[in-house]
Amino acid sequence: MEQRSAFATARRTKLFDELVELFRTEGFAHLTLDAIAARLKCSKSTLYTLADSKEQLVTAATVHFFKHATEAVEANVAATTGPRERIAAYLTAVGEALSVASIRFMTDLDAFAPARAVYDRNTRIAARRVQELIDEGVSTGEFRGVHAAFAADLAATMMVRIQQGGLRASTGLDDGEAYRELAAVLTHGISA
């Protein structure tokens, strides 16, 4: 029984990975459940084991995408020392994690309220994480005594503009470049 459960969990994870890859590269608004099942080479009933509707499937896939992105980002931060380097590593890794998402995926994500809510929640979590890293730098004296919540809010605001494509439209920077610039501006602006 335990072996069967492990297989089911592995199969479920593989399907979510494939689903995220499909959505990440092509978006999801235009896809029907029939099209998704055909692309993943599974039945619609298999998709219904993952979620009860296309909307729930999209939301679950979005959660899956951000869960893996967060793990990759935190692994980069854990491999870095020093507050300035950790903030730069964090924001750069966020940019790298999001840069694999097509413009169509990001547009669909922004237009679909449940998926946008997942993105917004992750942005708030990222802002808190940036605030923690700033507080760490202030306490060690590497950063001047800045208002960490303001700096984190500034970062969160830019993250939303990046996600919505506003920054790309006004600057021409792709998401990865925008996150690297945000890291540079933020870390230089708060240096002691």
Side-chain angles (χ1 to χ4, degrees):
M1 183 72 164
E2 200 172 301
Q3 191 175 38
R4 201 164 159 195
S5 176
F7 174 77
T9 300
R11 172 69 176 135
R12 183 180 175 91
T13 300
K14 183 178 183 294
L15 270 174
F16 267 121
D17 288 343
E18 292 171 357
L19 185 64
V20 167
E21 177 67 16
L22 174 63
F23 290 174
R24 182 182 70 70
T25 57
E26 297 182 25
F28 53 81
H30 66 289
L31 295 170
T32 64
L33 279 176
D34 286 325
I36 294 168
R39 297 293 296 279
L40 298 181
K41 297 179 176 73
C42 70
S43 66
K44 276 176 55 175
S45 61
T46 299
L47 293 178
Y48 283 121
T49 67
L50 301 177
D52 293 335
S53 66
K54 178 186 172 188
E55 292 76 18
Q56 290 177 0
L57 191 64
V58 167
T59 303
T62 305
V63 168
H64 191 79
F65 172 78
F66 281 107
K67 178 180 181 275
H68 287 284
T70 300
E71 290 168 357
V73 168
E74 287 299 337
N76 280 349
V77 173
T80 308
T81 57
R84 178 190 327 262
E85 292 79 12
R86 289 168 56 86
I87 288 175
Y90 185 85
L91 291 172
T92 300
V94 167
E96 288 169 2
L98 291 177
S99 69
V100 300
S102 68
I103 292 173
R104 187 164 189 178
F105 172 70
M106 297 306 276
T107 300
D108 288 353
L109 189 149
D110 189 51
F112 181 58
R116 186 178 59 246
V118 172
Y119 186 94
D120 292 345
R121 182 176 63 245
N122 278 277
T123 300
R124 287 190 302 277
I125 291 167
R128 279 195 304 272
R129 186 68 173 114
V130 168
Q131 184 174 342
E132 291 170 5
L133 295 169
I134 292 169
D135 285 338
E136 176 186 311
V138 170
S139 71
T140 64
E142 188 167 340
F143 299 149
R144 61 186 178 80
V146 298
H147 194 282
F150 173 80
D153 190 70
L154 173 66
T157 300
M158 292 311 299
M159 289 174 174
V160 170
R161 281 195 33 84
I162 293 166
Q163 180 264 324
Q164 293 174 340
L167 208 63
R168 179 184 300 266
S170 66
T171 66
L173 295 172
D174 68 32
D175 292 359
E177 292 167 331
Y179 273 96
R180 284 189 292 280
E181 286 298 318
L182 176 58
V185 167
L186 188 61
T187 55
H188 292 306
I190 61 178
S191 294

